[in-house]
Amino acid sequence: MPKSSTARTNETKVVPITSAPTPAKKYEPSPKELASIEAYSAKKKARKPRPRMKPMEGDNAGLSINHPQPQDGWMLLMESIGTTDVEITKLITQQLGEITQDNRKFDIQKLNYALALVQAVEPRDEMETMLATQMAAIHLATMVQARRLQGAESVQQAEANSKSLNALARTFAQQMETLKKYRGGNQQKVVVEHVHVYSGGQAVVGAVNAKEGAPA
């Protein structure tokens, strides 16, 4: 029997010729962007270093400072939150760790966020450190309540969550006012803008109409 032959077909593929892609224009920040970046860099440089917390190694569900030299790390953390007391720092860290737990496990990201909030207040002594810690706790609770309000499935839930949210927001505002008064020494400041003495020795304090030369 004759061998079967296999037909071979030579196909030529035509590749279309396309122009080379235009290189993307290099991004150049605007003057305002550059100014903002420089301002951010200056603030970042001036900010006190604050080591992060990390889970304790081993079976114990604890926390430890994330720093090559733990002793130096704790001192840096204390300086960043305005205290020189080791026990205050450790207890505050533990308390913030407890209120940021997720399913009874430390949420390190939330804990470091809470410590960052305390640092943002820039406490100058232990009283301000405690107040800043409470402010961080109230802020976290406020955000939780806001999320619950968004997810309310009934009028009763919405009303209850709204009431709690408003109470927390008012508490935070009161804390801000307390901090302001504490830092200012609760002193009232009186500013006298104009004092005019007329004939007879009578002094008049107040705004003056420039045209008439008399107190308004």
Side-chain angles (χ1 to χ4, degrees):
M1 296 178 61
K3 295 182 179 180
S4 61
S5 60
T6 303
R8 295 182 179 179
T9 304
N10 295 327
E11 296 181 356
T12 303
K13 294 183 178 180
V14 179
V15 179
I17 300 176
T18 58
S19 58
T22 304
K25 186 178 179 181
K26 185 179 179 180
Y27 167 73
E28 295 182 1
S30 67
K32 286 187 177 181
E33 288 177 327
L34 287 174
S36 294
I37 292 172
E38 291 177 359
Y40 162 80
S41 300
K43 290 180 180 179
K44 185 72 174 178
K45 186 177 180 180
R47 192 176 182 88
K48 296 177 180 179
R50 177 183 52 81
R52 271 54 174 172
M53 301 302 298
K54 66 178 182 179
M56 184 179 293
E57 297 179 359
D59 297 332
N60 295 328
L63 298 167
S64 61
I65 197 82
N66 189 9
H67 195 275
Q69 295 293 335
Q71 185 175 0
D72 293 345
W74 281 108
M75 287 191 291
L76 290 171
L77 179 60
M78 287 188 287
E79 171 63 15
S80 70
I81 64 174
T83 180
T84 58
D85 192 287
V86 177
E87 296 304 322
I88 289 178
T89 305
K90 288 185 177 181
L91 264 295
I92 282 177
T93 302
Q94 179 181 339
Q95 289 165 348
L96 288 175
E98 290 172 351
I99 67 173
T100 55
Q101 283 184 347
D102 186 13
N103 294 326
R104 297 185 179 181
K105 292 183 179 180
F106 288 117
D107 189 323
I108 299 300
Q109 183 179 13
K110 288 183 181 179
L111 170 58
N112 286 319
Y113 169 59
L115 287 170
L117 292 176
V118 176
Q119 182 186 10
V121 179
E122 298 183 350
R124 300 179 299 183
D125 56 35
E126 279 76 10
M127 292 299 295
E128 291 190 7
T129 301
M130 289 187 289
L131 181 57
T133 304
Q134 295 174 26
M135 293 172 69
I138 291 297
H139 170 72
L140 292 171
T142 302
M143 295 298 100
V144 171
Q145 242 4 87
R147 186 179 71 245
R148 289 175 178 173
L149 178 58
Q150 288 295 105
E153 298 179 353
S154 65
V155 176
Q156 291 78 7
Q157 287 182 356
E159 289 179 349
N161 292 328
S162 178
K163 184 177 180 180
S164 298
L165 179 60
N166 289 332
L168 288 167
R170 287 195 300 268
T171 299
F172 188 85
Q174 292 171 356
Q175 290 172 329
M176 289 285 292
E177 187 65 24
T178 299
L179 178 63
K180 181 179 179 181
K181 288 182 178 179
Y182 180 78
R183 286 181 170 175
N186 200 21
Q187 297 178 352
Q188 293 184 349
K189 185 177 180 181
V190 178
V191 178
V192 178
E193 295 183 352
H194 303 286
V195 178
H196 299 273
V197 180
Y198 294 89
S199 59
Q202 183 179 7
V204 179
V205 180
V208 176
N209 188 311
K211 292 182 179 180
E212 299 178 1

